[in-house]
Amino acid sequence: MTSSVEMVLWAIHHTTTLLFGVFASAALCGVELNRRHALELVVATVLTGTAFSIANTVGGELFARQAYPLIVHLPLAVYLCARYRLSPLLATLGVTSAYLSCQFSNWMGIAAFAATDSQIAYYLAHIVTTAAVFIVLLHWARDIGPRLAIKSPTELEILLILPLVYYIFDYATNVYTTLFHSGSVVTVEFLAFALCAFYLMFLAVYLREYEAKEAAERERWMLETRDSAAIKELEAWRQSGRELSVLRHDMRHFLRGLAVLIEEGHVDEALGRINELCETNDRTAVRRYCANETVNIVLSSFSSDINRNGITADLRAAVPENVHVADVDLFSVLSNALDNAIVAASAAPQGKRFVDLDLRYEDGQLLLLVSNTFDRPPRMVDGMPVAQHAGHGFGTKSIKLAVERMNGNCQFRIHGDRFELRAVM
């Protein structure tokens, strides 16, 4: 009777272990365990289970255990790659991690056997623990699986070290040989060595990724700050223009006020008001390049910088009053492009400082070309200029983000003695 119970529990033990391995491997790889995928994984379990049963019948349990990687693990990894288009690294990580997770059940089974000296207790503890770990792991894998699926190959390689080392170690010392039970110090201490090496490598990758994430977050914040500043600057120019328009409209009252001040002998105050008016007029004077107010404001706002740095500029625009893009995005692209061009051209030798801008509206699209001279050509990486100093390089990134928000595309390149920005918005 006991023999029959042990045989039934043996079959349930291997079935639950196989189901655990197949489903846990898929879940850790980010495979969604919906009804269709679950049925497919059950079929995969039946096929690999059949292969294991044949190996067990033909060569015995030891032969089946030794052949397990070839008749179960390898086909499972190949199936996950082919069916769900996973990378071999991710599939291997899923299979070896699921194998590592089986050690909970193994230990509980061994502990139960040691306490009772009963094979039935071993199987029962193993089966119950496998079911419990399976439930916990599936819940946990819903969150970790999709994250692993988007990791880079380098990160997957680091994460694979520990489960792969244990996998090889377990088969080499516990299945194919009896080294683990021989009591050899080298064999026993190897796991501690592998664990320490994995921890140090994982720590290095984690710190690098954390620092990269922090840098990306700071960069995003700075880009958002620049956009916010662009909005405020655009509104400030508009407000100044409105105030100046009102002042011009009320010029008669202004002049009468000046006359009163002069008649009463307040000449200095009158001169101060005149100078203030002249400065406001110069600062907020918006030249009309085209029918679009935003374009006129941007091009006019950089005129003083162009003149102050001795730059020869040719600014051309043919844009209607209303276009399909947001004012703030258009303002961001143009202001950043001109600002970068003026800074670069200002570093060029006298007489070789040129900035050209051509913006036109054709076939429902805005076409932008900005070119400028420079002192030293910028270093290009993946089609983007790389800043030579910390804190720089945000202008081109702001341009790229703003253009992408407008469903357009842009290109940065060096053409002869000019740096060029081409954008379609």
Side-chain angles (χ1 to χ4, degrees):
M1 179 68 181
T2 303
S3 177
S4 299
V5 172
E6 287 185 2
M7 287 298 296
V8 171
L9 291 176
W10 178 89
I12 296 174
H13 152 64
H14 282 290
T15 301
T16 54
T17 300
L18 189 56
L19 281 168
F20 175 89
V22 172
F23 276 80
S25 298
L28 288 170
C29 290
V31 176
E32 182 185 359
L33 297 182
N34 54 35
R35 184 176 180 179
R36 178 181 177 183
H37 292 166
L39 289 174
E40 293 173 353
L41 292 173
V42 167
V43 173
T45 303
V46 171
L47 293 176
T48 52
T50 302
F52 174 77
S53 298
I54 293 173
N56 187 71
T57 302
V58 173
E61 186 171 356
L62 177 59
F63 173 76
R65 287 183 62 199
Q66 292 176 341
Y68 209 86
L70 294 178
I71 62 178
V72 175
H73 294 151
L74 181 59
L76 177 58
V78 172
Y79 168 75
L80 291 174
C81 290
R83 173 62 182 88
Y84 302 107
R85 298 181 180 179
L86 304 178
S87 69
L89 272 175
L90 182 58
T92 305
L93 177 61
V95 172
T96 54
S97 296
Y99 181 83
L100 183 62
S101 301
C102 289
Q103 302 316 306
F104 292 107
S105 305
N106 289 342
W107 188 87
M108 291 297 293
I110 292 171
F113 180 80
T116 62
D117 196 28
S118 168
Q119 195 68 31
I120 292 178
Y122 169 81
Y123 287 137
L124 287 174
H126 199 291
I127 293 168
V128 171
T129 306
T130 298
V133 173
F134 182 65
I135 294 172
V136 174
L137 186 63
L138 284 187
H139 177 74
W140 176 70
R142 290 175 187 172
D143 178 59
I144 200 67
R147 295 187 182 182
L148 288 175
I150 60 174
K151 292 294 183 183
S152 67
T154 301
E155 293 173 300
L156 291 178
E157 289 171 0
I158 297 299
L159 295 173
L160 180 60
I161 291 174
L162 181 60
L164 183 60
V165 166
Y166 180 81
Y167 183 89
I168 296 172
F169 174 85
D170 191 45
Y171 271 93
T173 63
N174 202 27
V175 178
Y176 298 127
T177 70
T178 58
L179 283 174
F180 187 77
H181 300 284
S182 68
S184 171
V185 176
V186 174
T187 304
V188 173
E189 290 296 326
F190 177 75
L191 268 184
F193 163 78
L195 189 63
C196 181
F198 165 79
Y199 172 74
L200 293 176
M201 296 183 70
F202 177 81
L203 187 63
V205 172
Y206 172 79
L207 290 176
R208 188 178 69 233
E209 291 297 315
Y210 178 79
E211 290 172 356
K213 181 180 179 181
E214 286 290 302
E217 186 65 22
R218 287 195 302 270
E219 184 173 299
R220 183 189 65 80
W221 178 81
M222 293 187 71
L223 291 175
E224 289 180 352
T225 302
R226 289 178 69 98
D227 286 345
S228 178
I231 295 173
K232 292 179 180 179
E233 186 177 351
L234 177 59
E235 185 55 36
W237 270 88
R238 286 175 170 167
Q239 181 62 29
S240 297
R242 286 192 291 265
E243 292 175 356
L244 189 58
S245 297
V246 171
L247 184 59
R248 286 170 178 165
H249 181 266
D250 295 337
M251 185 60 71
R252 182 178 57 179
H253 303 293
F254 179 78
L255 293 176
R256 284 180 178 175
L258 289 178
V260 171
L261 288 174
I262 294 172
E263 289 175 358
E264 294 179 354
H266 301 297
V267 178
D268 292 338
E269 185 177 351
L271 290 174
R273 290 194 180 184
I274 293 173
N275 291 332
E276 182 181 346
L277 176 63
C278 292
E279 290 176 3
T280 302
N281 184 67
D282 292 339
R283 187 174 62 252
T284 60
V286 177
R287 177 181 168 186
R288 186 176 177 83
Y289 291 86
C290 61
N292 188 275
E293 178 192 21
T294 301
V295 175
N296 293 334
I297 287 176
V298 176
L299 300 187
S300 299
S301 66
F302 284 95
S303 59
S304 59
D305 292 337
I306 291 172
N307 296 330
R308 184 172 60 253
N309 290 284
I311 298 173
T312 301
D314 183 12
L315 309 179
R316 304 179 302 277
V319 182
E321 181 178 359
N322 297 312
V323 289
H324 59 285
V325 300
D327 287 344
V328 63
D329 289 330
L330 182 57
F331 185 89
S332 178
V333 170
L334 294 180
S335 59
N336 280 298
L338 272 177
D339 186 45
N340 290 345
I342 291 171
V343 170
S346 299
Q350 287 285 353
K352 295 184 178 180
R353 300 177 179 178
F354 300 100
V355 172
D356 293 335
L357 180 145
D358 186 13
L359 176 65
R360 60 187 65 193
Y361 186 80
E362 294 182 0
D363 299 327
Q365 293 181 318
L366 282 172
L367 309 179
L368 173 66
L369 169 62
V370 180
S371 69
N372 60 268
T373 53
F374 46 77
D375 180 30
R376 290 184 301 174
R379 186 166 65 93
M380 303 293 290
V381 176
D382 296 330
M384 291 288 291
V386 177
Q388 303 296 324
H389 305 286
H392 294 270
F394 291 101
T396 51
K397 292 176 182 178
S398 293
I399 293 170
K400 189 173 186 297
L401 287 176
V403 170
E404 289 175 350
R405 282 199 299 266
M406 294 183 279
N407 298 319
N409 61 79
C410 61
Q411 177 188 34
F412 302 93
R413 68 168 187 166
I414 300 173
H415 184 64
D417 63 343
R418 297 288 186 103
F419 178 80
E420 290 187 351
L421 159 66
R422 294 176 179 269
V424 179
M425 299 169 279

